[in-house]
């Protein structure tokens, strides 16, 4: 029978309660503050396409080679009265079949009945992000049998920079964080109770998680490895465990069949993961991703890399202390971290690519790191002497302050380290919007349609009456009467030569924005 310790048994409860309250309040604030400040980046525009029930209709409109008003382009980013939930699911199948449908179904109803501005769309993820705090409390109780560990973990998770960033993004990663936490808690409860009700609850949570993200499979792998390490091959409950898996996969099979049928299409959507990255770059990003659970200022400059490295050392020390203190807890937490990070890292080392680069693919590992470090302070804050307790209280406060610092920086930024073009888009939109008359922004069609997609991103920043023109080949754009100039984004040399060679235009690069040119009529 597990030992349950009451809150009153800890002398430091008053301190922890204050810290918990402040951290949670700050976490709520940063999840809800400046929701619409960051650029509505490429992946989020795809989410908006899902709720409109459209696929590439916006691209077909741009390819007419006629100037298109921004407000007309944005009609493909909002709910369509003529399209319903079925169209949203079909859009997901055609654009991103490897993404599970649950979040996008929720987003469809949210946009339809609550609101579809950038702020309102992100609010759904932000509110889901608040659920993570309660969920981590439950997971830690299942791990330790005490509320104390949950209080510490909730404090750290509230100010986890990576989780705060994804709580402000119109994608499924905030919901997946909740799913991973709840699934882990249900799993531990089922293993502890060893009754039919527990395994049914685990199976239902598994269905919820699978329909949230395919990354759930990595969480499941960690749970299987944990059981093999902790219980051995002869554990009598393995039959119920695999029965829960089987039931979940039967329920998930309809979408699994969709993924399999559109596997090539899904692979094309993530082809960029095969772009090679040097070992030096990978090591730098891995350092940032592991530290990002607790500290992440949003960029990888050398001084911050050193600080991130120090945070990673704290995490390694926490792993050693956890192994010394509790073999069972260490097996669960470390397998959760390892199975949700190491496969991607090994894949990148073996075949090249950057699968381990986006921290969103390692959301479950981030949760494991939060619990890992919380457990370190769970051990150390109960030191035998007042001096030891004071030292670790100071250390815990400093760690929370690093998270607070990271979240404060992030709250004022227009982009993050995964979205390097965001700042440029804001500057471009500011220049174009300052024009007294509706301005024209011209770009060209590249092989991977990158520029046309970026025009969809920029359209969320432009005045609705401004216009966008996509050129498929060098040519003279159609200008409205009275228009003496236009702007060109990411202009290739042959286009610039064509404009200047025509003798009708003067091309000037805009200061501090290398990809933007002003083209004046002579």
């Amino acid at each position: 029978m597990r030992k349950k310790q009451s809150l009153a048994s800890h002398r430091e409860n008053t301190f922890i309660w204050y810290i918990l309250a402040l951290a949670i309040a700050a976490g709520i604030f940063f999840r809800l503050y400046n929701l619409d400040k960051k650029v509505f980046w490429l992946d989020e525009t795809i989410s908006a396409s899902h709720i409109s029930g459209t696929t590439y209709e916006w691209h077909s409109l741009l390819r007419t080679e006629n100037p298109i008003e921004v407000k007309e382009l944005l009609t493909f980013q909002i709910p369509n009265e003529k399209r319903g939930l079925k169209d949203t699911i079909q859009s997901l199948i055609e654009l991103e079949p490897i993404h599970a449908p649950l979040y996008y179904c929720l987003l469809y109803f949210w946009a339809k009945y609550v609101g579809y501005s950038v702020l309102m769309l992100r609010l759904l993820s932000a509110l889901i992000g608040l659920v993570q705090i309660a969920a981590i409390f439950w997971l830690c109780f299942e791990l330790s049998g005490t509320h104390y560990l949950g209080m510490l973990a909730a404090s750290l998770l509230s100010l986890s920079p990576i989780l705060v960033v994804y709580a402000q993004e119109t994608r499924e990663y905030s919901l997946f964080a909740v799913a991973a936490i709840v699934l882990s808690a249900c799993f531990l409860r089922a293993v502890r109770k060893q009754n039919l009700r527990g395994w049914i609850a685990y199976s239902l949570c598994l269905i919820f998680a699978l329909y949230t993200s395919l990354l759930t499979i990595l969480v499941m792998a960690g749970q299987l490895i944990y059981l093999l390490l902790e219980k051995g091959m002869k554990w009598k409950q393995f039959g119920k465990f695999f029965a829960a898996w089987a039931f979940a996969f039967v329920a998930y099979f309809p979408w699994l069949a969709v993924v399999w049928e559109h596997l090539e299409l899904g692979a094309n959507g993530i082809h960029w993961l095969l772009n090679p990255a040097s070992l030096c770059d990978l090591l730098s990003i891995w350092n940032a991703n592991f530290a990002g659970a607790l500290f992440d200022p949003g960029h990888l400059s050398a001084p911050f890399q050193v600080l991130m490295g120090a945070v990673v050392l704290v995490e390694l020390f926490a792993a050693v202390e956890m192994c010394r203190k509790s073999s069972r807890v260490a097996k669960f937490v470390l397998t959760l971290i390892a199975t949700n990070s190491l496969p991607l890292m090994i894949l990148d080392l073996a075949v090249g690519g950057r699968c381990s680069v986006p921290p969103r693919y390692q959301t479950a590992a981030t949760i494991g790191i939060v619990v890992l470090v919380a457990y370190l302070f769970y051990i150390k804050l109960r030191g035998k002497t007042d001096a030891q307790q004071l030292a670790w209280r100071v250390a815990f406060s400093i760690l929370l302050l690093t998270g607070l610092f990271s979240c404060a920086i992030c709250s004022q930024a227009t982009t993050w380290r995964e979205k390097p073009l965001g700042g440029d888009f804001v500057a471009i939109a500011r220049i174009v919007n300052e024009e007294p008359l509706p301005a024209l922004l011209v770009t060209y069609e590249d092989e991977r349609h990158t520029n046309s997609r970026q025009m969809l991103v920029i359209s969320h920043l432009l005045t609705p009456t401004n216009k966008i023109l996509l050129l498929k080949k060098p040519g003279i754009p159609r200008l409205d009467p009275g228009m003496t100039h236009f702007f060109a984004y990411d202009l290739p040399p042959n286009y610039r030569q064509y404009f200047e060679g025509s003798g009708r235009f003067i091309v000037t690069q805009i200061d501090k924005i290398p990809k933007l040119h002003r083209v004046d009529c002579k």
Side-chain angles (χ1 to χ4, degrees):
M1 186 175 182
R2 298 195 312 163
K3 181 181 179 181
K4 296 186 177 181
Q5 302 175 21
S6 66
L7 293 175
S9 65
H10 299 287
R11 289 176 294 172
E12 61 276 4
N13 277 337
T14 301
F15 164 78
I16 295 300
W17 273 115
Y18 281 129
I19 291 295
L20 177 66
L22 291 173
I24 289 179
I28 293 172
F29 173 77
F30 284 120
R31 281 166 171 79
L32 299 175
Y33 178 63
N34 272 349
L35 271 175
D36 57 350
K37 186 176 181 65
K38 290 182 179 59
V39 171
F40 198 71
W41 78 300
L42 180 59
D43 283 14
E44 292 182 288
T45 64
I46 299 175
S47 298
S49 294
H50 296 330
I51 63 174
S52 73
T54 60
T55 52
Y56 295 106
E57 288 88 340
W58 63 270
H59 189 248
S60 300
L61 181 66
L62 281 177
R63 285 178 61 87
T64 61
E65 293 196 278
N66 292 316
I68 304 299
E69 282 194 340
V70 167
K71 62 184 178 183
E72 189 175 356
L73 192 60
L74 290 178
T75 58
F76 300 102
Q77 297 279 283
I78 63 176
N80 189 325
E81 293 182 358
K82 297 180 180 180
R83 299 174 185 260
L85 181 61
K86 181 180 178 181
D87 298 291
T88 291
I89 296 174
Q90 187 60 37
S91 171
L92 184 63
I93 292 172
E94 294 185 27
L95 294 178
E96 298 182 303
I98 61 172
H99 287 257
L102 180 58
Y103 171 78
Y104 298 98
C105 292
L106 293 175
L107 186 64
Y108 166 79
F109 288 110
W110 178 270
K112 186 175 181 179
Y113 296 109
V114 180
Y116 50 81
S117 66
V118 170
L119 187 148
M120 294 308 298
L121 289 178
R122 287 175 170 169
L123 181 60
L124 175 61
S125 294
L127 294 177
I128 292 172
L130 300 182
V131 180
Q132 298 167 8
I133 299 170
I136 198 76
F137 195 93
W138 177 30
L139 171 59
C140 290
F141 179 80
E142 290 296 334
L143 268 176
S144 65
T146 75
H147 298 288
Y148 187 44
L149 177 61
M151 293 163 63
L152 295 169
S155 299
L156 292 173
L157 182 137
S158 296
L159 295 174
S160 172
I162 286 180
L163 295 178
V164 170
V165 165
Y166 288 122
Q168 292 194 326
E169 187 170 301
T170 311
R171 297 294 273 178
E172 72 268 27
Y173 305 110
S174 186
L175 183 62
F176 174 57
V178 172
I181 296 170
V182 172
L183 177 63
S184 298
C186 282
F187 167 75
L188 290 172
R189 185 174 179 83
V191 171
R192 176 168 62 88
K193 293 287 188 180
Q194 298 190 20
N195 57 24
L196 183 60
R197 181 182 297 178
W199 289 116
I200 291 175
Y202 170 66
S203 185
L204 293 175
C205 286
L206 195 52
I207 295 170
F208 162 65
L210 285 169
Y211 272 100
T212 299
S213 175
L214 195 59
L215 294 170
T216 299
I217 293 175
L218 296 179
V219 180
M220 296 169 64
Q223 293 172 352
L224 176 59
I225 294 172
Y226 165 77
L227 287 180
L228 293 174
L229 293 174
E230 180 67 15
K231 302 295 184 180
M233 294 289 294
K234 297 182 179 180
W235 189 48
K236 295 180 179 179
Q237 293 289 312
F238 263 123
K240 294 179 181 178
F241 172 71
F242 286 118
W245 272 26
F247 180 76
F249 272 111
V250 167
Y252 184 61
F253 181 78
W255 192 257
L256 193 61
V258 168
V259 174
W260 180 258
E261 183 180 353
H262 298 84
L263 194 59
E264 184 177 353
L265 181 61
N268 290 336
I270 56 174
H271 62 84
W272 60 272
L273 290 175
L274 299 178
N275 295 335
S278 68
L279 179 59
C280 183
D281 288 341
L282 286 176
L283 291 175
S284 175
I285 292 169
W286 292 346
N287 181 51
N289 286 349
F290 279 108
L294 304 170
F295 172 68
D296 191 341
H299 49 86
L300 304 179
S301 61
F304 284 126
Q305 279 283 7
V306 173
L307 292 175
M308 290 176 177
V311 173
V312 173
L313 289 178
V314 171
E315 293 167 358
L316 291 174
F317 176 68
V320 172
E321 290 296 302
M322 178 180 280
C323 291
R324 291 174 55 188
K325 185 67 176 181
S326 174
S327 172
R328 182 186 70 86
V329 175
K331 288 173 185 175
F332 178 80
V333 174
L334 295 181
T335 53
L336 177 64
I337 297 171
T339 56
N340 286 276
S341 58
L342 288 181
L344 302 176
M345 296 164 67
I346 293 171
L347 183 63
D348 284 347
L349 291 175
V351 301
R354 49 183 66 240
C355 295
S356 61
V357 169
R360 58 185 182 271
Y361 296 158
Q362 301 170 55
T363 300
T366 298
I367 294 162
I369 291 171
V370 168
V371 177
L372 174 70
V373 176
Y375 198 84
L376 170 66
F377 288 97
Y378 170 70
I379 299 169
K380 298 299 183 181
L381 282 172
R382 298 179 298 169
K384 295 181 180 180
T385 67
D386 291 341
Q388 289 177 329
Q389 289 188 19
L390 178 61
W392 284 102
R393 288 181 189 182
V394 171
F396 184 64
S397 300
I398 291 173
L399 198 59
L400 286 177
L401 286 174
T402 63
L404 185 69
F405 173 74
S406 302
C407 293
I409 292 177
C410 182
S411 69
Q412 300 302 314
T414 57
T415 185
W416 196 54
R417 62 183 170 93
E418 265 203 291
K419 313 162 193 177
L421 291 176
D424 285 349
F425 291 160
V426 172
I428 290 169
R430 185 181 299 115
I431 291 172
V432 175
N433 289 336
E434 286 176 350
E435 292 295 305
L437 297 175
L440 176 64
L441 182 61
V442 176
T443 190
Y444 75 102
E445 182 75 295
D446 58 314
E447 291 183 0
R448 294 194 177 276
H449 311 302
T450 302
N451 283 342
S452 58
R453 295 177 186 275
Q454 290 177 351
M455 288 301 101
L456 195 58
V457 173
I458 293 176
S459 67
H460 285 272
L461 302 170
L462 294 175
T463 303
T465 55
N466 285 327
K467 295 182 179 182
I468 292 174
L469 174 62
L470 182 67
L471 294 177
K472 292 186 284 187
K473 59 183 179 180
I476 304 300
R478 301 175 185 176
L479 302 181
D480 291 340
M483 186 176 288
T484 60
H485 63 273
F486 60 91
F487 296 95
Y489 173 76
D490 199 15
L491 196 65
N494 61 321
Y495 277 70
R496 177 168 183 166
Q497 292 169 5
Y498 181 86
F499 287 141
E500 292 179 331
S502 69
R504 296 172 54 186
F505 301 99
I506 299 174
V507 181
T508 307
Q509 181 178 317
I510 302 296
D511 291 340
K512 299 181 180 180
I513 310 178
K515 288 194 172 186
L516 186 66
H517 293 78
R518 175 178 169 132
V519 183
D520 289 274
C521 302
K522 289 185 177 179

